[in-house]
Amino acid sequence: MSIRTSIDKLRENLLANKKTEGKASESPDSAPSVPAVPLSDIPSSSYQFEHFPEYKEYATMIWYCDKQKFPQNLFQPHLGSSDATVQINGSTYINFSTYNYLALGSHERVKNAAIEAVKTYGVGTGSGRSITGEISLHSDFEREISEALGTEDAVLSVGGYSTNTFTIGYLCRNQDLILYDELIHNSALAGCKMTGARRFSFPHNDYDALAKLLEIHRGKFERVLILVEGVYSMDGDIPDVPKLIEIKNKYKATLMVDEAHSMGVIGPNGLGVCDYFGIKGSEIDILYGSLSKSFGTCGGYVAGPKPLIAILKHYAPGVLLYGASPTPANAAAALESLRMMREHPELAQRLQQNAAYFIERAQAAGLDTYHSKDSGVVPIMMRDSELALWLSMKLWESRICSYPMMHPIVPRDKTRLRFFLNVNHTREQIDHTIDVITSSLRVAPKSKGLF
Ligand SMILES: Cc1ncc(COP(=O)(O)O)c(C=O)c1O
């Protein structure tokens, strides 16, 4: 098969995964029906993994990268910690691919708290929280995160992705409606699908479109849940949360904000959207956060009113019910990271300054940083997948880590390289990175628009 044919095939597969952008669109629930065939006619693509179209798509991509002699930069084990720099294959890379924003994941205080917790409790709690899996570190974290956010209560859970998915999955039912920003994270989409609720996406940050959907549909449903992110993980922009609160109050809906990339990062004290906009946590119905970003560990939490937390704790499968509790090490690390965030707002401030400097340098060099502002996520728009992949490989060869975000993760014309800024990045590292990008782009091959 020629490179062209393979890439055409790849394009066909990806296009099948069509996305409606820029306008409100409804997500269907029904699966396509398959005509009945005799057993002898069932194709191998239905039961042998190597014939699954997904695997063929993967194999084509690997084949393309091999042909281009691109270095292997996925699943490369690192040594030591991963923050502003990372050690891979004996070399030091400047790292823009870690969301350990504040470098707390490798801070001595956080590591020691985790070590002490392991010494005290062991490496696991032995069961789910509601039976004998509870340790005081869980409730200490919940009390302190509620204090920091200004909410009544919180629940700590074992996974970042799963907490988002299962919270949404539990709170909505067939008779409900979910309205979500088109750029919402996959973990939220997975939760939406679980619910069986009617669902519409609205164009990114388009509050008029959201209000219009509510105007048309509000009366036809029981619960209406609005889903947005505190910082969008691809674009690095921040929605107008006060405006969203106004809308949700007007239409008697509930608002859930995913703080995975905002907590620990934005606001004068780095305490997320409430800190950034000067609002109380109690004005937002559901604040969800991941512990794998600025907290530097693993897990998730939901903060909000006491009744919400009570039902999530007692009834929501996958939040606490039917699952193990967060490990002592994870809970202790999350708690110590939270304490450090609150004691040291200068960490988030330094990260914000690094991001601002990166944007300033990139824009001065003629690069497009799109909508990123005041957050730790900065895209450099390439708008061409081949060019983005090529540039990320050039950066890798120059010992700089930044990965391309391509279709179907983002629309084809919004392909970009994504940079996570870190508290420990130096001005020299940022200057060097922008120089490598600009000098590489000067000699970039012309894209053939292969994918
Ligand atoms: C916006 C957003 N929400 C949720 C998650 C899931 O969090 P975790 O990686 O901790 O599982 C991510 C992960 O990247 C994310 O970017």
Side-chain angles (χ1 to χ4, degrees):
M1 190 161 44
S2 72
I3 205 170
R4 184 92 227 177
T5 332
S6 308
I7 297 301
D8 282 349
K9 204 81 214 139
L10 177 64
R11 179 191 279 155
E12 233 169 66
N13 284 339
L14 293 176
L15 276 176
N17 210 338
K18 200 159 63 103
K19 200 168 151 54
T20 5
E21 252 197 292
K23 50 182 188 291
S25 69
E26 185 168 6
S27 315
D29 253 335
S30 52
S33 62
V34 180
V37 289
L39 199 54
S40 55
D41 287 358
I42 293 187
S44 59
S45 61
S46 294
Y47 60 96
Q48 285 178 340
F49 299 126
E50 70 270 32
H51 296 138
F52 278 20
E54 299 92 317
Y55 182 71
K56 290 198 165 165
E57 181 179 320
Y58 163 79
T60 309
M61 183 63 88
I62 295 298
W63 174 82
Y64 175 79
C65 290
D66 283 351
K67 273 261 180 262
Q68 298 293 322
K69 299 198 171 27
F70 285 155
Q72 175 54 269
N73 68 350
L74 299 178
F75 295 101
Q76 297 298 299
H78 72 264
L79 283 180
S81 62
S82 172
D83 46 63
T85 57
V86 62
Q87 303 288 327
I88 299 174
N89 293 331
S91 298
T92 302
Y93 287 70
I94 304 174
N95 190 8
F96 292 98
S97 297
T98 178
Y99 26 71
N100 182 16
Y101 290 113
L102 304 178
L104 293 176
S106 48
H107 196 281
E108 283 308 307
R109 242 179 86 174
V110 178
K111 287 198 293 188
N112 285 334
I115 291 165
E116 283 310 311
V118 171
K119 284 187 190 158
T120 308
Y121 297 105
V123 293
T125 63
S127 63
R129 283 185 57 186
S130 56
I131 37 181
T132 53
E134 183 81 0
I135 53 176
S136 61
L137 289 166
H138 298 146
S139 49
D140 288 349
F141 177 84
E142 291 168 346
R143 194 181 52 258
E144 294 193 25
I145 191 88
S146 308
E147 257 173 39
L149 297 174
T151 59
E152 284 179 0
D153 205 354
V155 54
L156 172 67
S157 180
V158 76
Y161 186 105
S162 58
T163 305
N164 204 14
T165 304
F166 290 124
T167 297
I168 297 166
Y170 171 71
L171 288 175
C172 290
R173 307 134 320 148
N174 286 341
Q175 60 272 43
D176 301 329
L177 173 68
I178 304 179
L179 302 174
Y180 59 93
D181 189 289
E182 64 182 349
L183 296 191
I184 205 85
H185 190 255
N186 182 274
S187 52
L189 293 176
C192 292
K193 271 193 198 162
M194 283 172 66
T195 62
R198 189 132 179 235
R199 312 185 293 278
F200 289 94
S201 66
F202 56 90
H204 184 48
N205 289 339
D206 187 338
Y207 310 111
D208 290 340
L210 171 63
K212 201 165 153 201
L213 283 168
L214 284 159
E215 197 62 52
I216 299 169
H217 297 287
R218 175 63 189 101
K220 297 183 268 178
F221 297 90
E222 291 185 6
R223 302 173 187 168
V224 176
L225 180 63
I226 301 168
L227 301 176
V228 298
E229 288 179 15
V231 164
Y232 283 90
S233 62
M234 289 292 150
D235 289 7
D237 59 340
I238 301 167
D240 185 344
V241 176
K243 177 91 193 154
L244 287 159
I245 293 174
E246 197 185 300
I247 295 175
K248 73 101 183 169
N249 283 340
K250 176 173 174 191
Y251 291 98
K252 299 184 175 175
T254 47
L255 175 65
M256 176 165 177
V257 181
D258 176 342
E259 287 239 78
H261 294 276
S262 48
M263 181 59 188
V265 175
I266 68 169
N269 302 296
L271 296 179
V273 290
C274 298
D275 187 32
Y276 185 81
F277 287 106
I279 55 182
K280 292 196 210 77
S282 54
E283 293 179 69
I284 298 170
D285 302 285
I286 310 168
L287 282 165
Y288 151 78
S290 149
L291 301 176
S292 69
K293 317 303 191 225
S294 51
F295 291 85
T297 178
C298 205
Y301 66 84
V302 174
K306 274 187 187 300
L308 166 75
I309 303 306
I311 56 176
L312 288 178
K313 273 187 162 176
H314 287 89
Y315 305 128
V319 175
L320 299 191
L321 213 59
Y322 305 118
S325 64
T327 68
N330 285 140
L335 180 60
E336 201 59 29
S337 286
L338 177 59
R339 288 176 176 166
M340 284 208 61
M341 278 176 205
R342 298 178 77 189
E343 285 166 32
H344 297 284
E346 71 277 8
L347 293 174
Q349 289 158 7
R350 218 162 74 213
L351 163 64
Q352 291 164 15
Q353 285 156 12
N354 283 345
Y357 184 71
F358 186 96
I359 291 177
E360 183 192 313
R361 285 285 286 109
Q363 289 182 350
L367 300 167
D368 177 4
T369 55
Y370 207 44
H371 302 311
S372 173
K373 188 171 175 291
D374 297 343
S375 78
V377 182
V378 185
I380 297 230
M381 303 305 282
M382 307 305 303
R383 302 182 188 279
D384 180 283
S385 302
E386 224 180 300
L387 186 59
L389 190 57
W390 180 85
L391 181 59
S392 80
M393 294 302 170
K394 283 289 142 199
L395 292 181
W396 182 262
E397 283 166 9
S398 305
R399 305 284 179 261
I400 297 169
C401 300
S402 166
Y403 288 83
M405 295 293 128
M406 309 192 304
H407 191 266
I409 300 171
V410 292
R412 226 173 280 282
D413 64 338
K414 296 211 173 78
T415 296
R416 78 277 312 264
L417 254 65
R418 181 170 59 167
F419 294 79
F420 289 109
L421 273 296
N422 190 278
V423 61
N424 287 336
H425 279 137
T426 63
R427 297 283 151 121
E428 292 69 33
Q429 287 167 341
I430 294 172
D431 287 340
H432 173 65
T433 301
I434 301 295
D435 289 346
V436 173
I437 295 171
T438 45
S439 57
S440 301
L441 284 176
R442 254 181 249 126
V443 297
K446 206 168 154 35
S447 166
K448 297 188 184 68
L450 286 176
F451 52 94

